[in-house]
Amino acid sequence: QVQVVESGGGLVHPGGSLSLSCVVSMSETTFMWNDMGWFRQAPGKERELVATIGSGWLTDYADSVKGRFTISRVNTERTVYLQMGSLKPEDTAAYYCNARLGGGSWYLNWGQGTQVTVSA
């Protein structure tokens, strides 16, 4: 069973920055073939896709975070990162990562996530 462990969340003031990490317990070879995505879910809202990075390193972002968040990956570490800047209260949510192959469905069991709270 593949495990996903997200970390790096916390409480930050508006305008601040945080860096999230997600480690996936799969082989490096398997990891490198997967597209990776960061999602978030705020209380009372559906989970939304925030950023993706393909196996070919192509990135994409939700309009709400474009220019503020940066997704990256280190295949040898089986880790995907999300660097978040210029944080806003509306970024408050639990953040999760997942994987997909060839543009298919996100298929990993969800991890526990990491909570990001943006508040003055």
Side-chain angles (χ1 to χ4, degrees):
Q1 179 107 359
V2 176
Q3 291 190 322
V4 178
V5 180
E6 300 97 346
S7 63
L11 174 63
V12 63
H13 291 162
S17 300
L18 277 176
S19 183
L20 308 183
S21 302
C22 170
V23 180
V24 184
S25 66
M26 59 175 59
S27 72
E28 179 183 339
T29 301
T30 302
F31 182 84
M32 66 189 297
W33 284 107
N34 278 268
D35 300 336
M36 298 301 299
W38 277 100
F39 296 74
R40 67 185 180 188
Q41 187 169 21
K45 295 189 176 181
E46 292 193 357
R47 190 168 289 163
E48 63 170 339
L49 181 60
V50 172
T52 61
I53 183 165
S55 58
W57 305 94
L58 188 66
T59 60
D60 195 18
Y61 299 91
D63 288 342
S64 58
V65 306
K66 203 168 289 185
R68 300 188 297 120
F69 290 11
T70 302
I71 188 171
S72 61
R73 64 191 294 163
V74 179
N75 290 340
T76 54
E77 297 176 358
R78 295 158 293 144
T79 301
V80 58
Y81 298 95
L82 186 69
Q83 180 66 42
M84 307 186 295
S86 302
L87 283 163
K88 305 175 181 179
E90 50 263 44
D91 295 318
T92 295
Y95 284 71
Y96 304 85
C97 71
N98 214 309
R100 68 182 179 188
L101 283 166
S105 300
W106 301 97
Y107 67 90
L108 297 179
N109 291 329
W110 295 101
Q112 292 189 324
T114 186
Q115 178 67 35
V116 172
T117 302
V118 184
S119 175

